[in-house]
Amino acid sequence: MNIHQYNATIFGINLFSSFSIEELNKIFASSNYVVSEYEKGQIIHLHNDLCQSLDIILEGQVSVQKIEENGNTLIINTFSKRDIIGANLLFSSRNYYPMTISATTKATILHMRKELILDICQKDMNFLTNLMKIISDTTSILVDKIDMISLKTIRRCIIDFLKYEYQIQNSSRIKLNISKKDLAELENK
């Protein structure tokens, strides 16, 4: 699969905001990446798989799922085009996926190996800074999720959700990026 057909998508990601088209072509001249297509429902990473790449969604949606012993599946989060998965795990001493990641729709994912990420970090301070921001933001989101699922009243959960979305969207009119059903499932976790 030709990575260059996704240049516009890649340029839209803050991680690559400081690169020119020529620099981007040099980055992807190496063999330390793979572009893979996944069908709807296909597993991308199983629970406890070793994280060996930083994954960028080029097309489609994927979800992080907790599959229970009884077969029930809880969707923890959904990621879309330009979202990044694995940044918080790739350099961890415990770099195993804590949950299963699967394609919610047909999806195309850029898997950038650790060696390529390290090489780019050494050559470009903006890339390194943006990567650290992504990792920090992921940590903040996880803390917010833990806070949301702790023992709170439904009213408190709704208030916290609205405050969070108000800050993110910078608007008093909140736009839901997921269905009400999916939102209810998130709140039940």
Side-chain angles (χ1 to χ4, degrees):
M1 178 162 292
N2 186 354
I3 187 68
H4 304 297
Q5 74 188 61
Y6 296 104
N7 280 349
T9 301
I10 293 170
F11 275 123
I13 301 169
N14 284 341
L15 197 57
F16 296 98
S17 63
S18 65
F19 294 103
S20 68
I21 189 77
E22 294 80 22
E23 291 169 324
L24 202 59
N25 287 335
K26 284 181 187 176
I27 289 170
F28 293 113
S30 79
S31 60
N32 283 326
Y33 74 92
V34 174
V35 177
S36 301
E37 289 186 343
Y38 298 91
E39 294 299 320
K40 179 180 179 177
Q42 187 175 356
I43 293 176
I44 300 165
H45 299 290
L46 277 171
H47 174 247
N48 285 329
D49 274 355
L50 183 66
C51 177
Q52 298 178 323
S53 64
L54 181 142
D55 297 345
I56 300 173
I57 301 169
L58 300 174
E59 291 180 343
Q61 284 188 332
V62 303
S63 62
V64 177
Q65 304 172 348
K66 176 73 173 168
I67 302 172
E68 297 178 337
E69 292 174 10
N70 62 5
N72 289 340
T73 301
L74 300 172
I75 297 173
I76 305 301
N77 205 354
T78 301
F79 295 95
S80 302
K81 185 176 183 174
R82 294 189 178 106
D83 285 339
I84 296 173
I85 301 170
N88 58 323
L89 296 173
L90 189 58
F91 297 100
S92 172
S93 58
R94 295 175 47 198
N95 60 336
Y96 295 92
Y97 287 96
M99 295 177 206
T100 298
I101 298 175
S102 65
T104 308
T105 65
K106 185 174 181 177
T108 304
I109 299 179
L110 168 62
H111 303 279
M112 298 177 66
R113 292 190 180 89
K114 189 177 191 175
E115 297 79 19
L116 179 57
I117 300 298
L118 285 171
D119 185 50
I120 301 169
C121 284
Q122 291 173 351
K123 293 177 181 173
D124 190 279
M125 185 61 72
N126 288 327
F127 182 89
L128 175 61
T129 303
N130 288 332
L131 180 61
M132 293 179 76
K133 182 181 182 296
I134 289 166
I135 293 169
S136 299
D137 288 348
T138 302
T139 302
S140 295
I141 290 167
L142 289 173
V143 168
D144 290 344
K145 288 261 184 199
I146 290 168
D147 191 39
M148 191 173 15
I149 63 174
S150 64
L151 297 174
K152 290 184 186 180
T153 65
I154 292 174
R155 177 183 175 93
R156 184 78 247 164
C157 287
I158 292 170
I159 290 169
D160 287 348
F161 173 78
L162 291 173
K163 282 182 179 177
Y164 176 78
E165 288 300 320
Y166 171 78
Q167 289 175 332
I168 296 297
Q169 297 180 22
N170 199 23
S171 171
S172 59
R173 178 172 247 176
I174 305 299
K175 179 182 177 193
L176 292 179
N177 294 324
I178 61 175
S179 71
K180 292 177 190 174
K181 180 183 179 287
D182 290 341
L183 180 60
E185 287 176 1
L186 284 174
E187 294 301 321
N188 287 332
K189 292 174 182 84

